[in-house]
Amino acid sequence: MGDVRLDRITMTTDDKGGLVNLDDDESVKSKKECYKILTVISVVWIFTFTAYSGLQNLESSLNPGVGTYSLAALTGGGFLSCLLAPAILNYIGPKGALVTSWVCLCVFIGGNYYPKNYVLIPAAALEGLSTGIMWTAQGIYVADAAMHFSEITGEQFEVVLSRFFGIFCMAFQSTQIWGNLISSAVLQYGHKPPPQSNTSLVCGADECPKSMSIPALPETTIIYILISIYMGLTLIGLLITLFLLKPLKKNMDQESIGKLLLSTVKLLGTDVNMAFLVPFSFYTGLEQVVMYAEYTKSFVACRLGVEWVGYTMICFGVCNTIGSPLSGILTKYVGRGTLLFTAFLLNLGVLAGLQFWDLPEHPTINQTLVFFVFPGLWGLADSIWQTQSATLVGVAFKDQQEPAFANLRLWQALGFTVAYLYSIHLCEYIKLYIVASFATLAMVLVAVVEIRLRRQASSYNLQMKSPGY
């Protein structure tokens, strides 16, 4: 079977309907090809990010201090790699970028066998350097499949793109279920009771660096078993990428490396919409750290124990998995803006709840259930942020996808990095206020971008209807 091409938009179209001229058999085959690409990408993410998500949620609890710094190194490397993504993808292609990323992920997972500063942090930085090209490549694969599907069917590109990203995000966010289910099942067998009652620890919003909680850890053998399972899953994802994912090809342009490296920054400096979306992109990284590092360590592990981290985060994954395709479908009926505002309200509600939550010293069954409610609500909001941020970028920068998706992931990575760096230096209540402030700023600027896009669309429609066009 031939290579999938990024320059499909040059195919002949029907002047009346704007559809690609294909007979019924070719049309069905082409649509199946689009879904096949989306399916393979989704399956690859399920395997690789089951390992990544499970390990990420435990890093700050299993390796206090160095684990958080390793996550900062990982996301910091992602910030740098996003700048390089367009140039790298121009030469190795999206498939090559994914293969490279999974190899680097294996190195990071392997570093957890010996979690010393000089091992784990460099391994995390190496993985981080691959994340920019990985996420940019993923965005290109999904957006290209959606664009071709739109050309074949005549369905609005924005609707198709939202649906495709919803399907992908459903697969991606389900890894929170599988990764945490694996970690909880394995760690439950290796649980060691703490030397003293957890009730003596300062937990929740009142936790500060001087009162940082250090939960009891499982036996080393149990941790090694968990890491080995994650390593195996990543290797399966690597093999699927190598043998089942088609490479995307486009005509190699002759732009200089310097010009390609500057394309991401150039888009930021020359497009007002991209500049306005920086706080939004930053926030999509910031808000994830609330669950991955803050909630898991300061609330769950501190009060219930590290073996409960996976169980509570399964709730996050389930709600995220359900919300991802649902948000993609609802976009057609309620609009992207309504969904984003809903996510904003959910986040503010959870942040307020965490801020004023008086953690019980001896949780009853009903009180323990509350530990599952917060990640569930946050998961619903996150499903909207992730699907709609990708859709917004794909629609606003249809002709500049590589630098646009690179910018999205670049500022998202910076949000991750900043949040991880201040995580062990600030009191929990201060961090909650910071996230709430950025959520508000992001929503205001997203509203401005949405208004600008609607005005541009209205202007284009008027131009198309003018007699002299």
Side-chain angles (χ1 to χ4, degrees):
M1 299 179 73
D3 294 331
V4 183
R5 301 184 64 84
L6 281 177
D7 55 351
R8 293 191 183 105
I9 199 167
T10 60
M11 297 172 67
T12 59
T13 59
D14 186 336
D15 291 336
K16 295 182 179 180
L19 304 181
V20 176
N21 285 324
L22 297 172
D23 59 35
D24 290 340
D25 290 339
E26 290 177 330
S27 177
V28 171
K29 183 178 179 181
S30 296
K31 286 191 288 186
K32 286 183 178 179
E33 192 65 37
C34 294
Y35 279 122
K36 180 180 178 181
I37 293 171
L38 181 61
T39 300
V40 173
I41 282 287
S42 299
V43 170
V44 167
W45 247 255
I46 287 176
F47 279 102
T48 55
F49 270 76
T50 289
Y52 180 89
S53 297
L55 193 57
Q56 175 184 241
N57 295 338
L58 290 168
E59 199 68 63
S60 61
S61 299
L62 288 180
N63 304 305
V66 63
T68 304
Y69 280 122
S70 70
L71 292 174
L74 191 156
T75 53
F79 176 82
L80 178 61
S81 68
C82 286
L83 290 172
L84 307 175
I88 295 174
L89 286 168
N90 190 67
Y91 289 95
I92 68 174
K95 180 175 179 176
L98 294 181
V99 171
T100 301
S101 298
W102 308 143
V103 172
C104 292
L105 180 55
C106 287
V107 174
F108 170 58
I109 294 174
N112 281 268
Y113 284 112
Y114 192 70
K116 300 296 182 181
N117 288 347
Y118 54 87
V119 175
L120 189 55
I121 292 178
L126 179 63
E127 160 62 7
L129 288 172
S130 73
T131 56
I133 59 174
M134 172 190 70
W135 282 111
T136 303
Q138 173 269 326
I140 293 171
Y141 264 110
V142 176
D144 178 69
M147 182 179 294
H148 188 42
F149 191 91
S150 175
E151 293 169 1
I152 296 169
T153 62
E155 193 174 357
Q156 187 178 357
F157 172 66
E158 180 175 349
V159 173
V160 177
L161 186 63
S162 181
R163 185 169 69 246
F164 274 35
F165 270 118
I167 294 171
F168 167 79
C169 286
M170 177 182 67
F172 163 53
Q173 298 296 356
S174 74
T175 61
Q176 286 287 343
I177 302 174
W178 320 128
N180 291 305
L181 187 62
I182 291 171
S183 69
S184 295
V186 173
L187 294 178
Q188 193 71 45
Y189 286 103
H191 171 60
K192 294 190 297 184
Q196 58 182 1
S197 174
N198 275 358
T199 59
S200 63
L201 299 174
V202 177
C203 302
D206 294 327
E207 185 189 64
C208 288
K210 291 182 179 180
S211 61
M212 194 74 71
S213 60
I214 302 178
L217 298 179
E219 297 176 359
T220 303
T221 302
I222 297 297
I223 296 177
Y224 285 169
I225 291 174
L226 179 61
I227 295 172
S228 298
I229 293 173
Y230 288 154
M231 180 70 78
L233 292 171
T234 304
L235 290 174
I236 293 174
L238 172 61
L239 293 175
I240 293 175
T241 303
L242 282 170
F243 297 109
L244 296 181
L245 185 63
K246 289 185 175 183
L248 289 174
K249 285 190 175 182
K250 64 176 182 178
N251 296 326
M252 292 288 291
D253 53 47
Q254 302 301 315
E255 293 181 287
S256 66
I257 294 179
K259 187 175 181 180
L260 287 167
L261 290 176
L262 290 174
S263 62
T264 302
V265 178
K266 181 181 178 181
L267 179 62
L268 178 64
T270 58
D271 194 295
V272 175
N273 286 339
M274 192 76 257
F276 281 163
L277 288 177
V278 167
F280 175 55
S281 301
F282 186 90
Y283 177 73
T284 60
L286 204 66
E287 59 92 11
Q288 293 182 69
V289 177
V290 172
M291 280 294 123
Y292 297 155
E294 309 301 344
Y295 185 74
T296 55
K297 178 180 67 66
S298 300
F299 291 84
V300 180
C302 182
R303 183 59 77 216
L304 300 181
V306 69
E307 70 276 9
W308 281 86
V309 168
Y311 289 126
T312 55
M313 289 300 287
I314 286 173
C315 194
F316 172 83
V318 169
C319 292
N320 217 323
T321 302
I322 295 173
S324 293
L326 186 61
S327 66
I329 295 171
L330 289 177
T331 304
K332 183 176 181 180
Y333 302 100
V334 302
R336 185 171 54 244
T338 301
L339 288 174
L340 289 173
F341 188 67
T342 301
F344 170 66
L345 293 179
L346 284 172
N347 276 179
L348 287 188
V350 171
L351 291 171
L354 295 178
Q355 185 71 57
F356 300 107
W357 187 16
D358 185 14
L359 287 175
E361 293 186 354
H362 303 283
T364 63
I365 294 178
N366 289 336
Q367 290 172 332
T368 301
L369 291 177
V370 179
F371 286 88
F372 293 81
V373 173
F374 286 121
L377 294 175
W378 201 269
L380 286 175
D382 186 63
S383 68
I384 297 174
W385 294 128
Q386 302 309 316
T387 56
Q388 299 309 312
S389 63
T391 302
L392 180 57
V393 168
V395 171
F397 307 99
K398 187 183 297 185
D399 299 325
Q400 297 174 293
Q401 287 184 6
E402 290 183 13
F405 278 112
N407 261 293
L408 171 64
R409 299 307 176 184
L410 182 151
W411 294 104
Q412 186 179 74
L414 184 61
F416 270 110
T417 304
V418 171
Y420 283 131
L421 285 176
Y422 69 54
S423 178
I424 58 178
H425 297 289
L426 297 176
C427 293
E428 194 64 36
Y429 71 90
I430 296 177
K431 291 180 278 189
L432 295 177
Y433 280 127
I434 290 174
V435 175
S437 300
F438 257 97
T440 304
L441 174 62
M443 273 307 302
V444 171
L445 294 180
V446 164
V448 173
V449 172
E450 289 285 5
I451 292 172
R452 287 174 55 84
L453 289 177
R454 290 182 183 181
R455 287 179 176 176
Q456 290 172 6
S458 298
S459 176
Y460 176 77
N461 290 335
L462 288 174
Q463 182 180 3
M464 292 290 290
K465 292 178 181 179
S466 63
Y469 187 80

